[in-house]
């Protein structure tokens, strides 16, 4: 059995504080073998930087996923080519920096593939994630036929599209976990063919906020219908994610549990 932990969008300094204060203890307590964390908002809510990634690398995370915000900090984009375990969604058109999947190993030597995808509904237009993931699974099979454990981050806005990805991949991957909305859903389950699924695992960051930002400026945007600078919130910090138990031989999930750690 391998126990996987998947952490939702780490949001700004508050999200990094949650990781710094609680991840190591959580990994020890739950005997986690492999950790994936989404860092698209890790640098002030928008993208990543070398400094922020270096800070987060002090903690036990094996693979970093991202999403639409990964491009926000120009200085962060070259990291996508330089860092083999930092992913961007696989269905951005070919020719962009970085990669959309990778294979890393647990301390016990069990290989785990991680695939990063992005939805098309209510998101910037990119390639079809459903067609792309079929290609990626084929590429993983060709690269390392022994890989059984596969985790998919579906970074998308529409709940329907994320659930559709769960059913598209049911029985073919270990887990399909949603990110991007910053709001955890209460629908974690094992689909009929053995794939763990949760529509969105939620943000790791400040919950006294509107999806991670201080409410006042966001409200102004809704009231005035013109752009306002947003400021990351700082209060009610929580680490959110999902814990998945998987059978190493079949790659199927046997359990999925929501994780909430409230920062002290
Ligand atoms: Fe996000
Ligand atoms: Fe996003």
């Amino acid at each position: 059995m391998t126990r996987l932990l998947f952490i939702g969008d780490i949001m700004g300094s508050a999200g990094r504080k949650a990781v710094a204060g609680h991840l190591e203890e959580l990994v020890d307590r739950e005997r986690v073998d492999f950790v994936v964390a989404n860092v698209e908002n890790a640098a002030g809510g928008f993208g990543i930087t070398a400094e922020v990634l270096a800070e987060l690398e002090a903690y036990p995370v094996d693979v970093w996923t991202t999403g639409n915000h990964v491009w926000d900090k120009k200085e962060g984009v070259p990291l996508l080519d330089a860092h083999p375990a930092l992913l961007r969604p696989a269905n951005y058109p070919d020719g962009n920096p970085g990669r959309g999947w990778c294979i890393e190993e647990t301390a016990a030597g069990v290989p785990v593939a991680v695939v990063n995808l992005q939805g098309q509904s209510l998101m910037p237009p990119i390639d079809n994630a459903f067609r792309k993931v079929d290609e990626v699974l084929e590429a993983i099979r060709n690269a390392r036929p022994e890989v059984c454990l596969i985790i998919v981050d579906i970074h998308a806005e529409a709940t329907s599209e994320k659930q559709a990805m769960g059913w598209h991949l049911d029985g073919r991957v270990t887990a399909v976990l949603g990110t991007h909305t910053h709001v955890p859903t209460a629908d974690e389950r094992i689909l009929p063919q053995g794939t763990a699924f949760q529509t969105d695992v939620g943000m790791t960051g400040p919950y006294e906020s509107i999806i991670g930002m201080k409410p006042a400026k966001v409200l102004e945007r809704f009231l005035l219908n013109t752009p306002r600078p947003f400021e990351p919130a700082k209060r009610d910090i929580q680490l959110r994610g999902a814990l998945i138990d998987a059978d190493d031989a079949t790659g199927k999930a046997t359990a999925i549990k929501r994780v909430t750690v409230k920062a002290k």
Side-chain angles (χ1 to χ4, degrees), residues 34 62-63 84-85 102-106 110-114 144:
F34 194 89
D62 296 284
V63 175
C102 68
I103 300 168
E104 297 289 326
E105 288 184 0
T106 68
V110 178
V112 182
V114 180
R144 297 275 299 271

Side-chain angles (χ1 to χ4, degrees), residues 49-87:
T49 61
E51 291 72 27
V52 159
L53 195 61
E55 179 191 320
L56 286 169
E57 279 184 311
Y59 307 103
V61 177
D62 296 284
V63 175
W64 311 96
T65 57
T66 60
N68 53 306
H69 283 300
V70 73
W71 315 104
D72 290 355
K73 294 253 183 324
K74 270 194 201 72
E75 69 269 35
V77 172
L79 295 169
L80 292 170
D81 277 330
H83 197 306
L86 173 67
L87 304 179

